[in-house]
Structure formats: C-alpha cells, structure tokens
C-alpha cells in the first residue's frame, strides 16, 4: 500500500494512503483514527491531523490545540454544575477545559452564602432573619386556615344549633389555635409546630 507524501502545506505531493486522526470541530476532542486515500493535490479532511494522539487519562479529555499544532490534555467537567462566586448562579459545563475564573465546583449550601476566595461562608444573621420571616408567614397561614375551618361551628354555637360532634371539633381546633399563637417564631428554624386536631376538617 503506497503511503501518501505531504508537502509543508499538508497537501499530498504523492498519492497514497495515510492514517489521519479526527477531532470534533467544536470541542476539538479526539474522536477516531482511520486510513484515508489522498490523491495528488488533496489535503487532509477537515478537523483532522496526522500526528497520533496520546493515551487517554481518567478525568481528562484529549483535545487538539486551537492552533492545530499538537494534542493537549484538558480537564473534563462536562455534565457537572459550577457556581458563580459573585452571584452563586449555577451553570452547567458543556465544554472541556478548566473551571472558568470566577466559578467554583463547590455548591453553596444556602441562598445566603458568600464566597470568601476558597469556600462558601453562610451569613447566619441573614439566614436566620429569613427563617424567622418564613415562620411568621407559616404561623399566619395556619391561623387563617384554622379560623376558616371553625367559622361555621362558631356560628352554630352562637345560634345554639351545634351538635356534640361539631362542638368537640370546635373545642379541639380552638386548643390548636391557642397552641399556634403561642409559637415563638424567633427561634426558627428550631420550631415544633402543633399537630393538627385528629378530627380536622378536610
């Protein structure tokens, strides 16, 4: 099998066969190797070269340099999520290469984390303020829901037409409302919320 000869412009000066190594046009990662026939005056196929790639390494991807001069190893974080160290916004990695400046693979644990240069640090004051606000909202919602449930029973009680089953339900819910009102939201998130009455309305 005649081997092709290439000139300095990588154009065949002698027709023949040659092994070419193909790489992805976008990521430039090595894809495959094959034998091609080149006629005189024909160059290599697009996105290919003739110098052999090295062995694959775990966690790395073998890519062609942008100037097409050689192969290089790049970190492969594709499919993983990185986080902006200024905004904490996530970004999925789709290209091979090192983690971009201003991003980290470390995930913030709360919306109140700030990057200190090496790790996320939680603003505990802001976090607790948010948790207390959430607890206050939940307390208001629980009380509003409970008062909505007992409103009809209270009307029946005032009119003297309430039956014993509803009277028992009203008593249970009034006790529940009293417990909810006594909840101290300032200790959020360490709150044990009262259990709903067993005879709760659906």
């Amino acid at each position: 099998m005649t081997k092709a000869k290439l000139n300095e412009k990588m154009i065949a000066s002698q027709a023949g066969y040659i092994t070419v190594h193909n790489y992805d046009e976008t990521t430039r990662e090595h894809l495959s190797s094959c034998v091609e026939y080149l006629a005189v005056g024909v160059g290599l196929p697009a996105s290919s070269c003739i110098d052999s790639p090295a062995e694959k390494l775990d966690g790395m991807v073998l890519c062609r340099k942008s100037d097409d001069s050689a192969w290089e190893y790049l970190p492969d974080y594709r499919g993983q999520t990185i986080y902006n160290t200024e905004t904490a916004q996530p970004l999925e990695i789709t290209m091979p290469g090192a983690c971009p400046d201003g991003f980290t693979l470390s995930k913030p644990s709360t919306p109140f984390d700030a990057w200190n240069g090496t790790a996320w640090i939680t603003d505990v004051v802001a976090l607790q303020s948010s948790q207390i606000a959430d607890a206050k909202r939940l307390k208001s919602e629980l009380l509003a829901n409970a008062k909505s449930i007992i409103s009809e029973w209270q009307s029946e009680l005032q009119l003297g037409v309430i039956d014993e089953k509803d009277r028992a339900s009203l008593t249970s819910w009034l006790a529940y409302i009293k417990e909810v009102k006594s909840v101290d939201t300032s200790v959020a998130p360490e709150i044990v919320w009262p259990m709903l009455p067993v005879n709760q309305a659906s």
Side-chain angles (χ1 to χ4, degrees), residues 27-30 56-64 72-78 95-97:
T27 65
R28 307 188 69 83
E29 65 185 302
H30 177 247
K56 291 185 177 180
L57 296 178
D58 291 340
M60 306 292 283
V61 61
L62 192 60
C63 295
R64 196 68 179 167
E72 64 179 343
Y73 289 108
L74 295 177
D76 192 5
Y77 298 121
R78 285 174 295 180
M95 294 287 288

Side-chain angles (χ1 to χ4, degrees), residues 14-53:
Q14 175 180 302
Y17 294 90
I18 192 168
T19 299
V20 297
H21 307 283
N22 306 297
Y23 52 88
D24 185 90
E25 183 179 0
T26 302
T27 65
R28 307 188 69 83
E29 65 185 302
H30 177 247
L31 297 176
S32 63
S33 300
C34 62
V35 176
E36 294 277 351
Y37 177 81
L38 299 182
V40 173
V42 175
L44 297 177
S47 303
S48 68
C49 61
I50 59 172
D51 48 313
S52 301

Side-chain angles (χ1 to χ4, degrees), residues 142-181:
L142 293 176
L143 289 172
N145 179 62
K147 290 176 181 178
S148 173
I149 289 172
I150 68 173
S151 61
E152 185 175 341
W153 297 330
Q154 287 178 316
S155 297
E156 291 177 353
L157 180 65
Q158 291 174 346
L159 294 172
V161 295
I162 191 169
D163 61 30
E164 290 305 313
K165 180 181 177 182
D166 288 347
R167 184 187 296 273
S169 294
L170 176 59
T171 300
S172 296
W173 277 94
L174 286 173
Y176 168 76
I177 289 173
K178 185 176 181 179
E179 290 181 37
V180 174
K181 285 182 175 179

